[in-house]
Amino acid sequence: MMKLRRVPLLLVLLFAASSLHAADVGPKDDAFIVQSRSFLSSHPDLYARVLGMKSYSKGDYKEAMRQFRKGAYYADKPSQAMVAEMLWKGEGVQIDRAEAYVWIDLAAERLYRDLVAKREQYWSELTELERRQALDKGAALYARYGDSVAKKRIEAILERNRRNITGSRTGFVGNLRIEIPGPGGMPIQVNGDEFYQDKFWQPEAYWKWQNGTWKALPTGTVTASELMPVAPDETLKKDDE
């Protein structure tokens, strides 16, 4: 068994939410693209996270939880981590440390270092009864929010919105110009091939882009104890919408 460090989870997630991946983007307009309403309206995973963090910062925990659950439904790991944190602390909801553990286990599903460390911290602080309760709760939550089902939801939306906006089944955007807010609110135009970069819309590239974001987050050293996965089942429930 190895020593765990306490991860400042809220600071990590605030960084992720506020930057919206701007730290590792390439073209100069990317930061404006990913924070624009036209982009976020087609990315409900990121948009729900942004709205959730805004509500959380205002102390409106009920609305924050609603938005984080929506982001979680679309495979957003920071949103899942915030659901966990709020359940753990009892922010806007009754404290439920067993369910909080399942949510942080979901958030750590892609093995992001800080979320794995937070999961291990939670597990180390649970009682034996809470651990059994967490294992009992795990299957149903994984069936609804695990990557095996949640990723498919956002992937379908990205594909549909890209096709609908371009008006072409081929997705050709060579001559398309898109106006988005720039510095100081002044509009700027970006090329369609910048707005519709593969990393923003095509599933494999999209997940690679998101994974890369976590390399830019605050780092530290952590050594974890034996992992305690919660096995999913095969049931997929209806959309939260």
Side-chain angles (χ1 to χ4, degrees):
M1 181 72 66
M2 293 161 284
K3 187 176 181 180
L4 298 172
R5 70 183 177 90
R6 290 185 175 273
V7 180
L9 180 60
L10 184 57
L11 293 179
V12 170
L13 299 181
L14 281 170
F15 179 93
S18 62
S19 66
L20 270 181
H21 313 299
D24 67 339
V25 293
K28 62 180 181 180
D29 292 330
D30 279 4
F32 300 124
I33 290 172
V34 300
Q35 296 177 64
S36 69
R37 182 171 295 275
S38 54
F39 181 90
L40 291 174
S41 65
S42 294
H43 294 73
D45 53 338
L46 303 183
Y47 194 31
R49 188 206 307 172
V50 170
L51 294 178
M53 293 307 298
K54 286 182 177 179
S55 295
Y56 188 91
S57 67
K58 295 176 182 177
D60 186 352
Y61 296 136
K62 182 177 180 179
E63 176 61 15
M65 177 64 82
R66 189 179 77 84
Q67 292 296 342
F68 288 138
R69 285 183 180 273
K70 183 180 292 185
Y73 188 76
Y74 292 108
D76 186 59
K77 294 308 183 187
S79 291
Q80 292 174 357
M82 283 305 299
V83 173
E85 192 81 342
M86 293 177 74
L87 283 166
W88 188 267
K89 295 178 178 178
E91 294 176 322
V93 294
Q94 184 175 351
I95 291 175
D96 188 333
R97 302 203 318 171
E99 185 172 333
Y101 173 78
V102 181
W103 279 101
I104 200 65
D105 191 57
L106 278 163
E109 190 175 8
R110 297 175 205 157
L111 301 181
Y112 297 151
R113 175 177 50 210
D114 289 300
L115 299 184
V116 169
K118 194 68 176 180
R119 178 186 66 183
E120 294 303 292
Q121 178 196 323
Y122 277 22
W123 184 260
S124 71
E125 296 180 15
L126 293 179
T127 65
E128 288 302 317
L129 175 59
E130 287 172 330
R131 291 179 179 183
R132 290 195 298 271
Q133 292 172 337
L135 295 174
D136 288 341
K137 292 170 179 278
L141 285 172
Y142 259 89
R144 191 168 180 80
Y145 297 100
D147 272 353
S148 63
V149 291
K151 276 186 171 183
K152 294 176 183 177
R153 298 182 189 120
I154 187 61
E155 288 170 2
I157 290 174
L158 295 181
E159 181 180 358
R160 181 176 70 246
N161 286 341
R162 186 176 192 272
R163 185 172 63 244
N164 289 344
I165 293 172
T166 61
S168 168
R169 291 187 181 277
T170 64
F172 178 71
V173 294
N175 296 321
L176 187 65
R177 299 286 292 174
I178 300 169
E179 188 173 278
I180 60 177
M186 295 297 293
I188 61 173
Q189 287 192 337
V190 297
N191 293 327
D193 56 3
E194 292 177 341
F195 192 88
Y196 290 104
Q197 295 175 69
D198 286 351
K199 67 182 179 180
F200 296 151
W201 302 90
Q202 293 187 1
E204 184 177 354
Y206 186 67
W207 300 122
K208 183 178 180 180
W209 172 61
Q210 287 213 4
N211 291 342
T213 301
W214 290 81
K215 297 178 181 178
L217 296 181
T219 60
T221 301
V222 60
T223 47
S225 60
E226 181 182 356
L227 303 185
M228 302 298 296
V230 180
D233 63 22
E234 299 299 323
T235 306
L236 173 59
K237 299 183 181 179
K238 292 173 62 179
D239 194 321
D240 280 351
E241 294 297 303

